[in-house]
Amino acid sequence: MKSRYILPFLLLLSHNVLLHCASAAVHSHSVDNNLERESDGSYRSRDYDHYNDAGHNSEFDHEAILGSVKEAEEYDKLSPEESERRLSLLLEKMDLNGDQYIDRKELKLWILNSFINLSREEAEERMSEVDDNRDGTVSWPEYLQDAFGVDAEEEIGPEDTGDSGMLLQEEKEMFKAADINGDGSLDLFEFEVFTNPEEHAPMHPYLVNQTLREKDRNNDGKIDFDEYVGDRGSHEDKAWMISERDKFDHELDLDGDGSLDLMEIEKWVIPDNDEIAEEEVEHLVATADEDRDGALSFAEVLRHRHVFVGSDQRHALGEHFDDEL
Ligand SMILES: *[C@@H]1O[C@H](CO)[C@@H](O)[C@H](O)[C@H]1NC(C)=O
Ligand SMILES: *[C@@H]1O[C@H](CO)[C@@H](O)[C@H](O)[C@H]1NC(C)=O
């Protein structure tokens, strides 16, 4: 029993060590090691690991329904009966009009709320690392110490970036913007805005500006294809270049004028939670709507509960279930 807890503990430990090393290495200009960003500099979407090299990863589905990573892990340890009982209670809450069906609209609203809850949970965890004096808020010096590993701003060079790939000045402006009541430190909600800026529209202009600072070499306020590729081009092959060109032309450069303006940069670097929630609704409905009436009855969800909330004991024992087929 005990050994089950050792691996997560080690992972946690190495994660902290990684973060710590990243803070020590304030001279790094690369965002490659950043856990929150893709290699092109865009922010990772909530579902970035939903389909990975190993195929479909149901953890994202569970988190989208439960709104909590901790709870999703807990569900994996429940008996089938307990898992079913708890899911039934959730369904009652999800079913806003009380017709005993979860329709697409109800499911989408629920998932969007889950994203908010996940974001809060992430902020809580991060806060417990940063809030050194345990007063429930994060002051600028506390953040400085955590993200840059220094006590004073003077120790940071103008070109040095912290864990998030941002310059001190950029972080400082974002800290101010997130400090909604202007009292100099961030409470949990403000800290959540600060640490998950991609999920808060008022913060988006800062992220767009940061992207320009990193990529817009000729300072014309736009990003052309060469700037978009940047240094990444030198260690990639021709096929990579062709696929990036295709992505640039057909997904990012919406007006087809050869470069990305502020609006196009925002659409590229900021994940669209609304779209992600819609895709997740389609995925879950396709999986569980047995009679194809476009809505999920409670019974349909319960029959597919390992897709929605967790694998319960059969999965924990290593058996593989795949409802996608
Ligand atoms: C989000 O959290 C609130 C407060 O803890 C809870 O009442 C709600 O059911 C959660 N919603 C989702 C979608 O997880
Ligand atoms: C972004 O950069 C522009 C141009 O330098 C500036 O006018 C604007 O205030 C910046 N926005 C934010 C949120 O920093």
Side-chain angles (χ1 to χ4, degrees):
M1 222 20 221
K2 232 178 184 174
S3 68
R4 291 178 67 167
Y5 295 98
I6 293 182
L7 184 61
F9 176 71
L10 283 178
L11 285 175
L12 204 73
L13 202 70
S14 61
H15 179 70
N16 281 339
V17 170
L18 271 179
L19 283 176
H20 192 78
C21 293
S23 353
V26 285
H27 297 281
S28 158
H29 297 248
S30 145
V31 293
D32 287 358
N33 301 327
N34 195 300
L35 302 169
E36 328 252 295
R37 311 272 292 272
E38 297 291 349
S39 62
D40 68 1
S42 62
Y43 281 75
R44 279 201 173 149
S45 62
R46 288 237 162 253
D47 65 347
Y48 81 96
D49 203 23
H50 192 192
Y51 296 94
N52 56 29
D53 294 343
H56 175 246
N57 170 7
S58 52
E59 269 167 41
F60 169 68
D61 302 316
H62 304 166
E63 289 163 16
I65 294 298
L66 295 170
S68 158
V69 175
K70 277 188 215 146
E71 241 180 273
E73 285 166 358
E74 199 184 314
Y75 260 83
D76 288 344
K77 297 178 201 138
L78 298 178
S79 69
E81 295 74 29
E82 179 61 10
S83 165
E84 187 163 331
R85 191 188 68 82
R86 292 202 198 175
L87 178 55
S88 302
L89 295 177
L90 282 189
L91 292 176
E92 301 281 349
K93 282 170 86 176
M94 247 181 250
D95 177 20
L96 295 174
N97 64 5
D99 66 353
Q100 303 288 304
Y101 280 88
I102 311 297
D103 60 35
R104 283 185 163 84
K105 226 172 92 189
E106 289 165 339
L107 192 52
K108 181 177 167 189
L109 264 176
W110 183 267
I111 291 169
L112 284 171
N113 268 318
S114 281
F115 290 167
I116 293 172
N117 286 5
L118 282 166
S119 195
R120 191 179 56 226
E121 186 179 71
E122 286 161 16
E124 274 164 4
E125 278 177 23
R126 185 90 170 84
M127 190 153 185
S128 70
E129 298 165 7
V130 186
D131 178 17
D132 206 35
N133 67 2
R134 301 273 175 264
D135 69 348
T137 69
V138 172
S139 64
W140 176 244
E142 281 172 331
Y143 184 72
L144 203 58
Q145 180 55 249
D146 183 83
F148 291 88
V150 299
D151 289 322
E153 288 176 25
E154 294 69 44
E155 298 174 45
I156 315 242
E159 307 272 292
D160 290 335
T161 52
D163 289 347
S164 60
M166 293 194 211
L167 301 174
L168 177 75
Q169 202 47 42
E170 290 169 338
E171 297 246 37
K172 205 173 172 182
E173 280 169 23
M174 289 177 70
F175 191 96
K176 268 204 188 118
D179 182 13
I180 296 158
N181 65 8
D183 68 352
S185 48
L186 307 182
D187 61 25
L188 182 62
F189 175 71
E190 293 168 339
F191 188 64
E192 197 265 292
V193 171
F194 178 62
T195 50
N196 276 332
E198 71 275 23
E199 297 193 306
H200 297 276
M203 305 302 274
H204 292 178
Y206 295 91
L207 306 184
V208 169
N209 276 10
Q210 184 213 348
T211 306
L212 279 171
R213 191 256 306 153
E214 284 171 352
K215 301 198 184 276
D216 179 20
R217 294 188 178 165
N218 65 7
N219 288 315
D220 66 350
K222 293 180 286 194
I223 295 178
D224 62 28
F225 180 67
D226 288 337
E227 291 169 335
Y228 164 74
V229 168
D231 294 335
R232 296 178 301 145
S234 57
H235 35 81
E236 297 289 351
D237 60 12
K238 202 170 166 195
W240 181 88
M241 199 63 102
I242 290 171
S243 94
E244 287 301 304
R245 178 89 232 183
D246 190 64
K247 179 175 173 194
F248 186 90
D249 289 345
H250 298 108
E251 286 174 40
L252 307 181
D253 182 15
L254 300 169
D255 63 8
D257 69 349
S259 58
L260 311 182
D261 58 25
L262 297 180
M263 198 263 295
E264 288 162 337
I265 295 170
E266 178 169 344
K267 272 189 106 55
W268 155 41
V269 294
I270 313 245
D272 183 345
N273 273 356
D274 204 75
E275 200 175 281
I276 295 164
E278 256 165 41
E279 282 167 16
E280 181 61 4
V281 166
E282 289 317 312
H283 167 64
L284 292 172
V285 169
T287 303
D289 183 19
E290 293 165 359
D291 59 11
R292 301 279 173 246
D293 64 352
L296 303 176
S297 68
F298 288 11
E300 283 172 331
V301 175
L302 292 174
R303 268 199 295 280
H304 296 264
R305 70 173 180 281
H306 56 278
V307 179
F308 287 79
V309 290
S311 35
D312 66 47
Q313 288 180 335
R314 291 177 303 172
H315 259 66
L317 292 172
E319 259 182 84
H320 207 79
F321 289 81
D322 201 344
D323 266 24
E324 317 312 307
L325 305 174

